[in-house]
């Protein structure tokens, strides 16, 4: 990588800093993800009650000692029968059976069906011994204690066999799965009252700049509200992490150094916005080096978001399989429940510092493209869920770029008649124009070297999650 030099003032001293050549987006993404090591599934996890675990990520796979369904049961309201008694019946040659039992939901059948017998059964009810098929009530005619079967069913019709959904001892839910309503329902059905989940990543957020003020301060000439603090906190929370807002830090080297050191000590990931370009008051990179950080990225060929600094601090040594994890299996069980959690392997990780650009659109785009995948990997999600999702869409308008950097144009995509379409946000596409970013759900991507996509042509759109 070619390195140029620039002079920078730091406190009362002058020094020389490198002006780096730009990495491609793919190179930067690869470097960042290689620096992220997922949470340790023992030391970076916790046991939570089931409803407190909504939105959290499983740190251990779950199995159950129950079959699903627990027993053979009816999928419809109708009559439980022996297939051999009704296999040849038809409207012209119906078969009449004696009803020997009524089986509502929650009732344990008391009779074994014999030849010529049937049992009235409701959806979800236990199949009686001797029965192997259900005839739906629409194909029957009942008179008193007998029922006439008007059409021959298929063998085993409308019977949900024990273990046909899930068999005891098989994997139930895998490690790395985010627990939403369906997963919570599965765990409840398995009587798993508590689960081990990864802790939420802690993300410190600070903004640099003498021009920034808090949201509740009156604006003076030349000042702007620190909107990045709020945008990044929202993005961090939406990704499932805990934002730690550390406020505005002025462009003063000593104040910045103290704030950055505190942020690094406090969090798993640090996000600062501003101070990473080549201006006289851009000190972030110098301070990171003075604090012992290893700088991996200084600039990326992306628009918006070129000045992005990425550094790491320290690491934890890889561990071995936990000796206590087997004893902890019971922590994830409900009262008398057979669900268990299997023991994991530990991984190493390091703290990561992202020095984001100060312009608001640049800060958001670089978070979506580079920070969010890192957070998702750190949090314990599987590799398939780390990176951004791209889809092909027809552009409703002409899209333009200078072709020098991979460009991201914000707007909205829609599904119209089975095809995605992208609508570019109206107004200026300046990295300082936060206003027309509202409502954005996708970023149209123009690769390096491509300066135009005509209206009606296909463009790759990065989905904002």
């Amino acid at each position: 990588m070619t390195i140029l030099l620039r002079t920078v003032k730091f406190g009362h001293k002058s020094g020389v800093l490198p002006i780096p050549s730009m990495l491609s987006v793919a190179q930067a993404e690869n470097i960042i993800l290689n620096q992220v090591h997922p949470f340790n599934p023992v030391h970076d996890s916790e046991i939570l009650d089931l409803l407190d675990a909504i939105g959290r990520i499983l740190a251990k796979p779950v199995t159950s000692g129950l079959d699903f369904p627990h027993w053979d049961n009816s999928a419809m309201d109708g009559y439980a029968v022996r297939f051999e008694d009704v296999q040849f019946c038809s409207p012209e040659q119906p078969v009449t059976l004696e009803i020997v039992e009524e089986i509502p939901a929650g009732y344990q059948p008391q009779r074994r069906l014999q030849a010529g017998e049937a049992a009235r059964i409701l959806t979800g009810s236990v199949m009686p011994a001797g029965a192997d098929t259900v005839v739906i009530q629409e194909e029957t005619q009942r008179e008193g204690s007998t029922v006439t079967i008007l059409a021959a069913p298929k063998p085993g019709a409308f019977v949900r066999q024990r273990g046909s959904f899930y068999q005891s001892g098989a994997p139930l839910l895998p490690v790395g799965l985010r627990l939403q309503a369906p997963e919570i329902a599965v765990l409840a059905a398995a009587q798993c009252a508590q689960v081990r989940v990864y802790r939420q990543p802690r993300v410190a957020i600070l903004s640099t700049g003498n021009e920034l003020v808090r949201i509740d301060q009156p604006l003076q000439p030349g000042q702007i509200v620190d909107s990045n603090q709020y945008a990044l906190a929202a993005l961090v929370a939406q990704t499932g992490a805990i934002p730690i807002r550390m406020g505005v830090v002025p462009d003063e080297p000593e104040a910045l150094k103290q704030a950055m050191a505190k942020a690094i000590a406090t969090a798993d990931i640090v996000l600062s916005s501003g101070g990473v370009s080549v201006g006289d008051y851009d000190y972030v990179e110098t301070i990171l080096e003075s604090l012992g950080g290893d700088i991996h990225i200084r600039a990326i060929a992306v628009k918006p978001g070129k000045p992005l600094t990425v550094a790491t601090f320290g690491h934890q040594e890889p561990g071995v399989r936990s000796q206590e994890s087997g004893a902890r299996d019971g922590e994830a069980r409900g009262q008398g429940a057979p669900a268990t959690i299997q023991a994991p392997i530990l991984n190493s990780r390091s703290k990561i510092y992202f020095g984001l650009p100060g312009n608001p659109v640049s800060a958001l785009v670089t978070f979506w493209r580079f920070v969010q995948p890192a957070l998702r990997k750190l949090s314990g999600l599987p590799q398939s869920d780390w990176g951004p999702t791209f889809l092909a869409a027809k552009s409703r308008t002409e899209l333009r770029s200078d072709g020098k950097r991979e460009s991201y144009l914000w707007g909205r995509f829609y599904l119209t008649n089975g095809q995605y379409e992208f609508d570019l946000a109206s107004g200026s596409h300046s990295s300082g124009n936060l206003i027309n970013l509202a409502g954005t759900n996708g970023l149209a991507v123009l690769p390096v070297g491509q300066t135009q996509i005509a209206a009606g042509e296909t463009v790759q759109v990065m989905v904002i999650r």
Side-chain angles (χ1 to χ4, degrees):
M1 180 172 68
T2 302
I3 301 292
L4 305 177
L5 299 177
R6 67 178 173 93
T7 301
V8 63
K9 295 179 180 179
F10 187 87
H12 299 291
K13 300 179 180 179
S14 295
V16 177
L17 284 180
I19 299 177
S21 61
M22 293 184 290
L23 298 172
S24 71
V25 169
Q27 288 173 323
E29 179 183 51
N30 185 60
I31 289 171
I32 291 168
L33 289 178
N34 281 340
Q35 296 304 317
V36 178
H37 300 279
F39 274 156
N40 180 307
V42 171
H43 300 296
D44 290 312
S45 65
E46 56 188 339
I47 299 291
L48 293 182
D49 289 341
L50 188 55
L51 288 180
D52 291 332
I54 297 171
R56 302 293 291 274
I57 300 167
L58 274 180
K60 290 184 180 179
V62 179
T63 63
S64 176
L66 298 172
D67 290 325
F68 288 85
H70 308 321
W71 14 257
D72 294 354
N73 69 90
S74 176
M76 298 288 286
D77 292 347
Y79 294 87
V81 300
R82 300 177 348 137
F83 177 72
E84 60 186 291
D85 288 341
V86 298
Q87 59 182 318
F88 300 117
C89 67
S90 66
E92 294 75 27
Q93 293 183 315
V95 172
T96 299
L97 304 173
E98 180 183 1
I99 301 171
V100 296
E101 191 171 21
E102 300 272 345
I103 308 175
Y107 174 79
Q108 179 63 40
Q110 303 297 308
R111 293 280 303 269
R112 169 181 285 274
L113 291 192
Q114 304 298 325
E117 295 180 342
R120 171 64 172 160
I121 195 166
L122 301 180
T123 302
S125 297
V126 178
M127 289 288 290
D132 57 13
T133 300
V134 171
V135 180
I136 59 175
Q137 62 187 30
E138 292 84 351
E139 296 180 348
T140 67
Q141 183 176 334
R142 180 169 181 171
E143 293 185 8
S145 62
T146 63
V147 61
T148 300
I149 310 301
L150 303 175
K154 293 182 179 179
F158 303 111
V159 175
R160 295 185 289 220
Q161 301 289 336
R162 175 176 178 170
S164 59
F165 301 163
Y166 169 84
Q167 293 184 354
S168 169
L172 183 63
L173 295 180
V175 66
L177 184 66
R178 191 181 293 278
L179 300 179
Q180 305 291 1
E183 293 77 28
I184 295 294
V186 168
L187 291 167
Q191 296 183 301
C192 190
Q194 294 183 316
V195 288
R196 180 175 287 277
V197 295
Y198 287 109
R199 69 175 177 87
Q200 295 172 281
R202 294 168 55 85
V203 182
I205 304 168
L206 56 93
S207 303
T208 71
N210 295 329
E211 75 281 13
L212 301 176
V213 298
R214 300 191 312 269
I215 195 172
D216 57 346
Q217 289 181 273
L219 290 175
Q220 302 299 324
Q223 294 182 331
I224 58 174
V225 174
D226 176 24
S227 62
N228 284 354
Q229 189 90 193
Y230 290 86
L232 293 174
L235 289 171
V236 167
Q238 289 172 352
T239 309
I242 299 172
I244 305 168
R245 293 172 49 215
M246 304 190 70
V248 176
V249 185
D251 288 322
E252 299 172 3
E254 195 55 41
L256 275 169
K257 185 174 183 178
Q258 291 182 14
M260 291 165 62
K262 181 180 179 181
I264 293 164
T266 300
D268 303 295
I269 287 179
V270 179
L271 306 179
S272 67
S273 60
V276 292
S277 191
V278 293
D280 290 343
Y281 297 94
D282 295 327
Y283 302 123
V284 169
E285 184 179 316
T286 303
I287 295 172
L288 287 172
E289 290 179 328
S290 73
L291 292 172
D294 294 322
I295 297 180
H296 305 277
I297 296 174
R298 292 179 167 89
I300 302 175
V302 63
K303 184 178 181 180
K306 178 180 74 171
L308 176 66
T309 298
V310 180
T312 55
F313 288 84
H315 69 279
Q316 296 178 356
E317 293 299 325
V320 295
R321 182 177 295 274
S322 169
Q323 298 299 312
E324 62 179 350
S325 57
R328 290 186 177 184
D329 284 350
E331 293 174 326
R333 298 180 185 176
Q335 188 72 25
T340 62
I341 292 181
Q342 298 165 358
I345 298 292
L346 310 188
N347 291 297
S348 63
R349 61 182 176 85
S350 59
K351 294 191 174 187
I352 302 181
Y353 190 107
F354 289 90
L356 307 180
N359 279 321
V361 177
S362 298
L364 268 67
V365 170
T366 50
F367 182 96
W368 284 321
R369 188 61 185 86
F370 302 109
V371 180
Q372 191 173 61
L375 260 177
R376 294 173 72 84
K377 179 179 180 180
L378 176 67
S379 66
L381 288 168
Q383 185 173 356
S384 58
D385 288 339
W386 297 347
T389 299
F390 295 89
L391 55 83
K394 182 175 70 174
S395 180
R396 292 180 174 179
T397 56
E398 182 183 63
L399 306 176
R400 287 186 172 274
S401 164
D402 62 12
K404 297 177 181 178
R405 291 177 277 164
E406 187 166 300
S407 297
Y408 291 73
L409 304 176
W410 50 98
R412 291 191 62 82
F413 65 87
Y414 306 85
L415 186 61
T416 304
N417 297 325
Q419 180 180 16
Y420 287 109
E421 296 184 359
F422 178 78
D423 196 7
L424 185 69
S426 60
S428 167
H429 272 247
S430 162
S431 60
N433 181 14
L434 186 62
I435 303 303
N436 69 345
L437 198 65
T440 293
N441 70 354
L443 302 172
V445 183
L446 275 70
V448 175
Q450 186 165 9
T451 60
Q452 178 186 5
I453 292 178
E457 290 185 348
T458 299
V459 63
Q460 290 297 308
V461 175
M462 190 182 98
V463 178
I464 293 175
R465 296 194 281 183

